[in-house]
Amino acid sequence: MRWTLESEGATPLSLTSAPNCPVRSGILSVEFHRNLFLACDHSQYYAAEVADLRFSNLWSSDLNSGLSYIGNKAERGQKRYLAMAVRLEFLPGNVYVLTLVGDGEHRFTPQSIPEIMAALDKVEADPKACALVTTGEGKFYSNGLSLSLEDRGSKENMQLIDQFHALLKRILTYPIPTVAAVNGHAVAGGCMVALAHDYRFMRADRGFMFLSEIDIKLPFSPGMNAIIRCKLPVMTYHKAMLSAFRYTGQTAVEAGMVHSSPSDLQSTYQEALKLAKGLASRNFDRVVYQTIKKQMFKAEIKELEILATLEPIVASSKL
């Protein structure tokens, strides 16, 4: 089957249909990006699973108030959101690599977080898995949560923060060694996810790691604060949280934020993979490894379990 769908103000596109992709009338635009098929109408994004990729819908909230899909980007105001896929690879040496695929900002959304969690489920379910590396494609490791900054205390924001807490807790207490290969910018929630890993590598030639919350006027939740506090030296913790200082790979090493800063993207990935394979070769007992982590981060786990939906971190307001 082939579809010819017409975008507003664009040339009609003819694409081969992908399995399990529902189509409605009123389609605004479509895209076929690598193994990813997306279609959007005024109310919802649709995605089809192709080959070994798992991927999420784009921002699903507030689509009726101005979010449209043109070409390979979604625009709302001045913000840009691209499709994010999650790819899993099992490599020799019993190491899994989880890659955030696509050229976008790899934002954490109500749809993308479950996709990442599902990938983590798959790794954990494989008895051969002995270590995990996470990385990304493009300019971003992750630009953090896709929060509404118009109403910072909204129910939707708090629900997303609760989802994010669950992701941080999952990575922090994962039963096998975790290594973050930071390929580009790791901002706000993206920085926190990297910090939740056991080990972190960040390329030296490009990208910043920083916490932007002071600039966007959004306080840290107790769980976010706990992750940052337990992973950073005191002076770095203070500077990163209160000034939104932008760390390069080299300054991040000096500040104790990452363990190493190889020269470029390829060497960062290779060094992270080398460490992961070395750790995997030791075949740590999963129960023991996770128990030690839970003991190490007992206070942090407790704070990550505080529900923002029950104890909002900021009052609902239009700022």
Side-chain angles (χ1 to χ4, degrees):
M1 181 190 301
R2 295 185 70 84
W3 298 322
T4 300
L5 303 176
E6 187 167 340
S7 304
E8 287 188 347
T11 303
L13 300 172
S14 181
L15 299 173
T16 302
S17 64
N20 303 319
C21 184
V23 179
R24 291 183 181 179
S25 60
I27 294 289
L28 285 179
S29 62
V30 294
E31 180 197 9
F32 189 78
H33 178 65
R34 297 190 181 178
N35 282 11
L36 177 63
F37 177 89
L38 288 171
C40 171
D41 64 11
H42 282 285
S43 61
Q44 187 174 357
Y45 280 93
Y46 304 102
E49 185 169 342
V50 182
D52 63 345
L53 288 185
R54 295 181 59 85
F55 47 88
S56 64
N57 296 341
L58 288 174
W59 236 41
S60 63
S61 62
D62 205 22
L63 288 177
N64 287 311
S65 62
L67 180 63
S68 62
Y69 193 78
I70 306 297
N72 67 350
K73 64 182 178 180
E75 303 248 4
R76 186 174 188 274
Q78 298 300 312
K79 294 185 177 293
R80 187 172 76 154
Y81 301 90
L82 297 182
M84 184 176 78
V86 178
R87 184 177 67 226
L88 270 181
E89 300 170 274
F90 186 62
L91 302 182
N94 296 330
V95 174
Y96 269 94
V97 178
L98 188 159
T99 304
L100 303 180
V101 179
D103 296 326
E105 298 179 359
H106 302 154
R107 294 269 187 170
F108 300 116
T109 71
Q111 294 76 35
S112 66
I113 291 176
E115 295 290 345
I116 297 170
M117 294 288 264
L120 295 175
D121 288 342
K122 182 176 180 180
V123 174
E124 192 169 345
D126 186 348
K128 299 188 296 295
C130 293
L132 172 70
V133 174
T134 71
T135 190
E137 291 183 343
K139 296 180 180 179
F140 287 87
Y141 180 74
S142 171
N143 203 19
L145 282 73
S146 184
L147 294 169
S148 168
L149 298 184
E150 296 177 358
D151 189 355
R152 288 162 170 75
S154 68
K155 180 181 178 181
E156 291 75 16
N157 275 2
M158 297 304 108
Q159 289 174 335
L160 179 55
I161 288 171
D162 284 345
Q163 281 186 287
F164 184 64
H165 282 173
L167 177 62
L168 291 176
K169 178 184 172 184
R170 184 75 182 279
I171 297 172
L172 184 69
T173 62
Y174 209 56
I176 59 176
T178 56
V179 184
V182 181
N183 58 290
H185 304 305
V187 184
C191 177
M192 296 175 212
V193 164
L195 290 174
H197 288 66
D198 300 333
Y199 305 93
R200 294 166 295 283
F201 291 77
M202 181 181 178
R203 62 189 294 185
D205 63 331
R206 178 176 292 183
F208 294 102
M209 183 177 285
F210 65 101
L211 299 165
S212 60
E213 281 72 8
I214 190 69
D215 288 333
I216 62 176
K217 303 178 183 178
L218 184 68
F220 295 93
S221 70
M224 294 174 182
N225 177 64
I227 282 284
I228 301 162
R229 183 186 62 229
C230 75
K231 292 291 184 138
L232 296 181
V234 173
M235 294 299 290
T236 303
Y237 165 66
H238 185 280
K239 185 175 184 178
M241 291 190 68
L242 294 181
S243 73
F245 183 80
R246 298 188 174 202
Y247 293 88
T248 62
Q250 186 57 45
T251 57
V253 171
E254 295 167 358
M257 185 175 278
V258 301
H259 296 80
S260 179
S261 182
S263 60
D264 55 24
L265 177 62
Q266 186 62 26
S267 58
T268 298
Y269 175 74
Q270 291 300 329
E271 287 296 313
L273 190 59
K274 179 181 178 180
L275 174 63
K277 287 184 176 181
L279 293 167
S281 70
R282 301 181 65 180
N283 193 23
F284 295 121
D285 182 282
R286 289 190 182 188
V287 174
V288 173
Y289 196 81
Q290 187 173 57
T291 299
I292 291 173
K293 281 183 166 183
K294 288 181 175 179
Q295 292 170 341
M296 290 173 65
F297 304 119
K298 185 175 181 180
E300 288 75 20
I301 292 168
K302 185 176 181 179
E303 291 184 90
L304 284 167
E305 291 173 346
I306 297 173
L307 295 178
T309 45
L310 298 179
E311 299 182 38
I313 62 173
V314 62
S316 183
S317 61
K318 301 289 185 180
L319 297 178

